[in-house]
Amino acid sequence: MKAFINNTQIAYSDHGIGLPVLFLHAFPLNRSMWAGELTALLAEERYRLVSLDWRGFGESELPNEVSTMELLAGDVAGLMDYLGIEKAVLCGLSMGGYVAFACLRQFGQRVAGLILADTRPGADSPEAQANRENVARLAEAQGTSAIADLQLPRLISDYTRQHQLEVEARIRQMIEAATPGGIAAAARGMAQRADSSDLLADIACPTLVIAGAQDAIIPLAEAQSYADRIPGAQFATIPQAGHLSNLEQPDMFLAIISSFLRSL
Ligand code: MLT
């Protein structure tokens, strides 16, 4: 389905009745990365499950050159308004988590709970910002296959690479389905994102932090340390998973989020 939000066609899915849970996807994938969680949680008959594609990914259009986290958070708020959802649990993985922090800053009173997976509150270092610009230019010059070649080794664990070829293939397919413009706009947007570390101590909603034990992008110790700064936050690690923990170890990821959501 599509909604016209902030002058942009945003693709989303919306199933079930109950506590609204919004799923925010990673870079440079799309909302189909949450298909397993959505199907399994729908069967629990307790939740309204919503996912959306960021601008330039999946089926959403891209009218802008830089997709800042604030702009994407505005799309989340716009979609909530459009669907008549006042408050929702946000489940964001990696870039989805960066957007979740922007949501917290912009409309924290509408966040009923937070699942932060394989993400970090901190901003990019100057070196990371320069890398983002390289990613943006590579996408523009060589297209999405070059991005898949570059990103895949960072995104999944050695275990996944060696033992789950179909998971790697699915991730490659998702990356190749993105648009070069969407990748460039999001990479430049992530480079500009604010440091949200100041928000941690004031997070008042139930929060679950999840970390892939072999995440090459967010070291486990860093995830544990920011989780420790969120009052009452739960922390879970997923063995044999890298950065895309829900795709690499779907059963364990699902069990962890399902038990958290049931506690709300
Ligand atoms: C993601 O998975 O969303 C990205 O890898 C995040 C990042 O590069 O910081």
Side-chain angles (χ1 to χ4, degrees):
M1 282 177 284
K2 286 195 185 170
F4 195 59
I5 289 164
N6 300 327
N7 294 318
T8 310
Q9 292 283 351
I10 298 292
Y12 70 96
S13 65
D14 175 20
H15 299 286
I17 297 169
L19 174 68
V21 188
L22 249 88
F23 288 83
L24 312 178
H25 72 78
F27 169 88
L29 309 183
N30 59 59
R31 73 185 201 275
S32 76
M33 72 170 268
W34 297 116
E37 288 76 16
L38 298 190
T39 305
L41 291 171
L42 190 61
E44 294 190 21
E45 299 188 342
R46 303 165 65 100
Y47 310 109
R48 180 172 182 184
L49 302 155
V50 177
S51 60
L52 75 161
D53 286 328
W54 302 132
R55 294 155 176 249
F57 295 93
E59 301 164 295
S60 290
E61 64 171 358
L62 179 78
N64 50 280
E65 291 191 350
V66 179
S67 297
T68 61
M69 302 304 101
E70 290 74 24
L71 183 68
L72 302 182
D75 292 341
V76 173
L79 183 62
M80 288 171 69
D81 292 343
Y82 178 83
L83 297 175
I85 294 173
E86 177 48 35
K87 283 183 93 165
V89 178
L90 302 180
C91 173
L93 191 141
S94 195
M95 185 175 103
Y98 306 159
V99 179
F101 282 116
C103 292
L104 212 50
R105 197 180 287 283
Q106 280 178 28
F107 51 90
Q109 72 288 355
R110 298 180 71 179
V111 180
L114 268 177
I115 300 172
L116 298 166
D118 309 307
T119 193
R120 58 159 59 97
D124 277 359
S125 63
E127 193 188 340
Q129 288 175 326
N131 267 333
R132 302 272 189 215
E133 187 52 34
N134 291 338
V135 168
R137 290 187 188 173
L138 183 69
E140 289 166 339
Q142 293 184 38
T144 57
S145 297
I147 296 297
D149 292 342
L150 178 77
Q151 295 282 117
L152 263 167
R154 309 166 65 228
L155 292 176
I156 56 177
S157 67
D158 289 344
Y159 178 86
T160 302
R161 191 166 309 106
Q162 285 157 16
H163 301 283
Q164 306 196 92
L165 297 182
E166 70 297 346
V167 172
E168 179 168 3
R170 181 174 164 216
I171 296 167
R172 175 175 285 278
Q173 209 172 32
M174 276 190 249
I175 299 176
E176 291 183 348
T179 62
I183 290 177
R188 292 184 172 122
M190 285 192 284
Q192 291 181 17
R193 76 186 189 284
D195 186 345
S196 294
S197 306
D198 60 315
L199 298 178
L200 298 176
D202 295 324
I203 295 179
C205 62
T207 301
L208 165 66
V209 174
I210 300 177
Q214 276 126 42
D215 189 336
I217 298 178
I218 320 276
L220 189 54
E222 183 181 339
Q224 171 83 70
S225 124
Y226 92 76
D228 285 346
R229 294 166 62 193
I230 303 174
Q234 297 175 35
F235 182 70
T237 53
I238 303 194
Q240 292 178 331
H243 187 61
L244 296 178
S245 59
N246 79 310
L247 296 170
E248 299 183 66
Q249 294 296 334
D251 294 345
M252 199 169 300
F253 190 93
L254 178 66
I256 292 167
I257 68 167
S258 167
S259 124
F260 173 74
L261 289 170
R262 272 181 180 263
S263 73
L264 298 181

